[in-house]
Amino acid sequence: MSTSWADSVANSQTENAAATGSFENNASSRAPRTTYVPPHLRNRPASSDPPAASNSAPSQAGTGYGAPSTGSRWNGNSRQDFGRPGYGSGSSWNSSRGRGWDRGREREVNPFGNDDDAEPSFSEQENTGINFDAYEDIPVETSGSNVPPPVNTFAEIDLGEALNQNIRRCKYVKPTPVQRHAIPISLGGRDLMACAQTGSGKTAAFCFPIISGIMREPNIQRPRGTRTVFPLALILSPTRELSSQIHDEARKFSYQTGVRVVVAYGGAPINQQLRELERGVDILVATPGRLVDLLERARVSLQMIRYLALDEADRMLDMGFEPQIRKIVEQMDMPPAGLRQTMLFSATFPREIQRMAADFLSDYIFLAVGRVGSSTDLIVQRVEFVHEADKRSHLMDLLHAQKENGTHSKQALTLVFVETKKGADALEYWLTSSGFPATSIHGDRSQQEREYALRSFKTGKTPILVATDVAARGLDIPHVAHVINFDLPNDIDDYVHRIGRTGRAGKTGLATAFFNENNTSLARPLADLMQEANQEVPAWLTRYASRAYGGGGRNRRGGGRFGGRDFRRDTSYNRGQDYYGGANSSGYGAAGGYGGAGGYGPGVSSAWD
DNA sequence: AAAAAAC
């Protein structure tokens, strides 16, 4: 079994390598994206490390990075913990972290591949592709007591040289808005509920403070002589692929910091994950089911957890996931709120979910980062009335048009969302039978198939991916030019997450939805969302919307505001009292909301990830 | 009603 798994990884790597040649300059450096690297592929020879990865700390101190004035702060008058000998040099990092991590025979795999020297253009394309100018005037709202002020550069944050170097390797020039606000809050030790957009560096926003915080406590003593491992940080996400993606990102950020990141999720052989855990783990990235398994086997203990992060937190706390999350957070051995630091990230935070989430938080700060204008400026949204029976032929028309347009290429991927797993299989079969290069991803496929499909899509081998909502949230897939809602979801939030797979990294995107009489409950929130996004709303859709089917769509959740509003401001919650006393808006608009720019109509959540 | 998430 493990052989076939390893083979599949090897195969996908081969495939990825093969794609490099035909994919111009942007595929090879994505090799480290491979979701799971088995041990026998992990120990690359030292010669594969790029020069920049060497441990010559002196040569890197403050080299032209941001404001150099603070460059010496980290190594100089730093906090007591930093006095540890050899800090910042991976070679001295052993006693308290994973055994053998730094031994020559188990060198840390360089997650940056070789793109430091060879292919700088990739990183520019993928990492600085973020349109920072578009982020300048973003409305930001914070509430809670004593909110730490935002920062404007990475350099003015005391993250540590090793982490700063990785930030440079990632080609992150300056922090995105969510990073500017969230990182100081987290470094200040505060709990956080943040509404933020994944494409703008959300993962980094919770990873940087965690990694930095762990680096500052190099001598944490953990129980020994047991097979149980004691991670210091736990990052939970709702899908395996998203956990895998977070793991890949976190590994880049923690390269040569001595901080070990391990991922655990279902569908993959548990033994390899156990071996990884035994080698030491500081940050555990996991999906809930597999984590519960590991906890019940007593292979993982949460008693040393200092940091808890929930990505896509509203999904993690919705009906399907809540019991598992409560079990993990409240019924195992994790320190309670207040004794750990908890960070919840999501785009949409329905009031009910916020209320529930407050159980996991202690004196938290609420942070909402919006976009000027509409949240989906970069995405052109179209809605077409298509009867159920006509959907396939209509889809084919669209795909044929793309093909003739020349947009049907490896650089222009098309993501087709359907409502059911069966529907995904059927549509994939129909598309491939019709000569379209398509594959599919959904929860009834094996993990191997899922990861192969995602890779095949990303590399352009099959530029059409049929997906259920498993692919709706968080996944960062470059070059998705078109998202087609073959079946519209019932929840406007899901729509928002789905179309957010395109229009990323400063690129424009197109989102087409097939609407018919089965989607009437979505008419109003959809029309409102599109209007707020300055999209053309068909007259027929407006008519459907005005009929107010289904009691107004999902007003029940949004409560009349977009997702980014602190529920503690609700009068029903604080009963006329100024509950938290420390409300402030960071210089943007009135405290009451967003008014025009970035705001949404009744019942519509924000269009963030 | 569906999807996701352990074996």
Side-chain angles (χ1 to χ4, degrees):
Chain A
M1 187 198 218
S2 62
T3 326
S4 63
W5 177 262
D7 285 346
S8 79
V9 173
N11 287 341
S12 65
Q13 286 191 329
T14 306
E15 176 207 329
N16 190 56
T20 305
S22 60
F23 212 146
E24 294 173 14
N25 59 8
N26 64 352
S28 68
S29 52
R30 212 175 297 134
R33 270 292 291 118
T34 303
T35 48
Y36 182 76
V37 181
H40 72 283
L41 296 175
R42 213 173 277 138
N43 301 322
R44 296 163 55 167
S47 61
S48 68
D49 286 346
S54 69
N55 290 326
S56 52
S59 67
Q60 287 143 1
T63 41
Y65 183 69
S69 59
T70 56
S72 60
R73 236 173 94 205
W74 182 257
N75 293 321
N77 58 342
S78 55
R79 298 160 216 213
Q80 51 187 18
D81 290 329
F82 305 166
R84 187 176 61 81
Y87 183 73
S89 160
S91 61
S92 69
W93 198 268
N94 54 17
S95 56
S96 61
R97 307 257 180 257
R99 290 155 295 164
W101 178 235
D102 56 332
R103 287 179 197 160
R105 64 181 186 85
E106 290 193 71
R107 273 191 80 93
E108 183 176 6
V109 171
N110 177 8
F112 295 94
N114 290 318
D115 62 327
D116 270 7
D117 338 287
E119 315 220 34
S121 54
F122 162 75
S123 298
E124 276 168 37
Q125 185 178 344
E126 300 304 338
N127 292 319
T128 63
I130 292 176
N131 185 355
F132 282 96
D133 290 340
Y135 289 127
E136 287 302 325
D137 300 319
I138 292 181
V140 174
E141 186 175 319
T142 54
S143 52
S145 60
N146 301 314
V147 181
V151 294
N152 289 307
T153 65
F154 287 120
E156 67 190 272
I157 321 172
D158 207 10
L159 290 173
E161 182 48 33
L163 180 48
N164 276 340
Q165 196 180 328
N166 291 328
I167 294 171
R168 283 195 290 274
R169 289 189 180 113
C170 287
K171 308 289 195 290
Y172 293 170
V173 176
K174 60 178 176 178
T176 62
V178 62
Q179 292 165 1
R180 291 180 55 228
H181 289 80
I183 292 175
I185 291 170
S186 300
L187 287 179
R190 300 293 300 277
D191 280 5
L192 174 65
M193 181 186 290
C195 291
Q197 169 192 0
T198 42
S200 66
K202 183 180 65 165
T203 308
F206 59 75
C207 281
F208 289 178
I210 291 174
I211 293 167
S212 180
I214 291 174
M215 287 168 69
R216 289 170 194 204
E217 293 189 83
N219 295 316
I220 293 177
Q221 292 303 315
R222 284 179 266 194
R224 309 192 77 132
T226 164
R227 297 189 83 183
T228 309
V229 297
F230 299 83
L232 306 175
L234 176 63
I235 300 172
L236 292 172
S237 96
T239 67
R240 298 163 181 176
E241 286 76 15
L242 185 53
S243 278
S244 176
Q245 178 179 297
I246 294 166
H247 171 244
D248 290 341
E249 289 295 296
R251 241 175 24 129
K252 288 182 190 171
F253 302 149
S254 58
Y255 180 53
Q256 292 189 338
T257 60
V259 176
R260 275 266 300 172
V261 188
V262 176
V263 68
Y265 53 77
I270 198 168
N271 283 336
Q272 304 200 21
Q273 293 173 2
L274 288 172
R275 278 198 292 277
E276 278 300 296
L277 289 169
E278 283 173 1
R279 292 178 61 201
V281 53
D282 299 303
I283 301 174
L284 178 58
V285 184
T287 48
R290 176 56 59 92
L291 177 61
V292 168
D293 189 5
L294 292 168
L295 291 169
E296 287 175 346
R297 295 180 189 216
R299 298 301 296 263
V300 170
S301 162
L302 301 176
Q303 78 181 55
M304 302 290 286
I305 289 292
R306 256 93 157 144
Y307 307 93
L308 169 66
L310 301 191
D311 200 3
E312 307 293 346
D314 60 334
R315 171 62 85 232
M316 303 302 284
L317 296 174
D318 79 5
M319 278 196 347
F321 272 118
E322 190 211 339
Q324 273 181 303
I325 300 302
R326 281 204 187 274
K327 177 168 188 175
I328 291 167
V329 177
E330 295 178 332
Q331 290 156 34
M332 304 305 288
D333 53 352
M334 190 188 297
L339 293 183
R340 60 163 197 263
Q341 202 178 331
T342 307
M343 293 168 273
L344 308 185
F345 280 75
S346 184
T348 46
F349 249 119
R351 185 186 295 159
E352 299 80 0
I353 303 284
Q354 284 192 41
R355 198 172 289 124
M356 188 192 313
D359 290 353
F360 302 112
L361 297 160
S362 170
D363 185 29
Y364 66 96
I365 290 168
F366 181 91
L367 166 67
V369 183
R371 285 185 186 174
V372 158
S374 70
S375 55
T376 48
D377 278 345
L378 298 169
I379 303 172
V380 174
Q381 299 176 57
R382 287 195 316 217
V383 189
E384 295 167 356
F385 197 97
V386 185
H387 287 293
E388 213 59 44
D390 300 332
K391 280 184 173 178
R392 284 184 176 181
S393 62
H394 198 78
L395 175 64
M396 185 175 264
D397 290 345
L398 288 180
L399 294 175
H400 273 307
Q402 280 182 206
K403 205 170 180 177
E404 287 162 17
N405 226 355
T407 46
H408 191 80
S409 73
K410 290 182 175 181
Q411 293 289 345
L413 309 179
T414 300
L415 181 50
V416 184
F417 280 105
V418 296
E419 199 56 20
T420 67
K421 294 177 281 199
K422 235 177 107 177
D425 279 336
L427 189 57
E428 179 200 6
Y429 179 79
W430 183 80
L431 283 170
T432 51
S433 300
S434 306
F436 288 99
T439 185
S440 71
I441 185 168
H442 62 70
D444 273 355
R445 301 200 76 187
S446 72
Q447 191 54 28
Q448 222 169 335
E449 290 172 322
R450 284 165 58 159
E451 291 178 16
Y452 187 86
L454 193 54
R455 178 151 300 280
S456 177
F457 182 55
K458 282 186 167 184
T459 59
K461 185 182 172 191
T462 49
I464 300 169
L465 179 67
V466 182
T468 59
D469 272 332
V470 69
R473 282 177 175 252
L475 295 186
D476 197 38
I477 308 171
H479 310 303
V480 173
H482 196 176
V483 169
I484 298 174
N485 274 293
F486 187 87
D487 300 319
L488 271 166
N490 295 315
D491 186 323
I492 192 67
D493 279 351
D494 292 333
Y495 171 84
V496 154
H497 285 281
R498 287 178 178 187
I499 69 171
R501 296 316 100 206
T502 187
R504 299 174 77 83
K507 296 192 175 65
T508 56
L510 174 64
T512 304
F514 296 175
F515 183 102
N516 61 36
E517 56 282 342
N518 295 325
N519 311 114
T520 49
S521 69
L522 198 69
R524 189 156 79 172
L526 180 59
D528 289 344
L529 178 76
M530 290 179 68
Q531 188 170 12
E532 290 298 329
N534 296 316
Q535 302 292 313
E536 196 175 321
V537 184
W540 58 262
L541 182 61
T542 306
R543 284 197 295 276
Y544 270 104
S546 65
R547 289 178 216 167
Y549 287 88
R554 48 176 307 278
N555 256 339
R556 58 197 166 80
R557 292 184 66 197
R561 287 237 181 237
F562 82 95
R565 176 171 168 89
D566 191 346
F567 92 102
R568 292 175 295 184
R569 291 186 172 189
D570 293 352
T571 50
S572 60
Y573 175 79
N574 60 49
R575 291 172 188 172
Q577 305 224 334
D578 189 2
Y579 167 76
Y580 51 95
N584 65 60
S585 287
S586 305
Y588 301 95
Y594 288 3
Y600 292 87
V604 179
S605 298
S606 70
W608 310 332
D609 278 321

